[in-house]
Amino acid sequence: PGSRRGGSPSGLIVMRLGLQTAGFAHAVILNTGAQTISQSLGKAIAEEMPGIVQKLLTQCGGSFDDINMVRVCVGPGGFTSLRSGLAYGQGLSRALNIPLESTSLFHLVTDNDDQLLGFSQGGKDMIVARPTREGFLEEPHLVVEPPMGVFLINEHPGLSPGAFFDRPCPMLPPKPLYVRPPDATPAARPPWLS
């Protein structure tokens, strides 16, 4: 696909592509306005994603040229999964000259400003935030003990792939919200180079 205008060549098909690589339920979602279809991603997210996008487009009778918007979920989540979804979404947005929207797990479950939400990756620690329609009143951050009054969103129906386009998008910056910082460290200078 080359550079273009943003929308279907025929002007009849409207397709929104969703890339949900945050949390646990990783999926590719395609919304045509009339229907929403999705397919789960396995562990090899970066390798599987392009083929699944093509499969869903074919299933709907569309092509990459019919996608008029990409929405990515920026987190919270793991390093590799978030980077894979975000990079693929940014690449498609640029190659197809279409808008890229960024949302978070917190924004997928509430329109209520000032509600303290938490997402747990297992164990006691969790990432908490206070989402608003425009971003965050309280930026996502890791806590060891869940604070009083936090609403855990892990099992919320708004996180299902079928609900990915149900809520307005806050237009967050397209940067990942990691559960934990990357654990990779730069390589040390080998002694033989000294």
Side-chain angles (χ1 to χ4, degrees), residues 56-76:
L56 294 179
L57 286 167
T58 301
Q59 190 175 330
C60 287
S63 70
F64 281 94
D65 284 332
D66 294 312
I67 301 171
N68 67 348
M69 183 269 290
V70 178
R71 180 180 286 186
V72 296
C73 188
V74 297

Side-chain angles (χ1 to χ4, degrees), residues 20 33 41 81 85 94 99 113 118-119 147 152 154:
Q20 200 328 26
L41 289 160
S81 60
R94 219 173 229 181
D113 285 356
F119 181 80
L152 188 64
N154 286 52

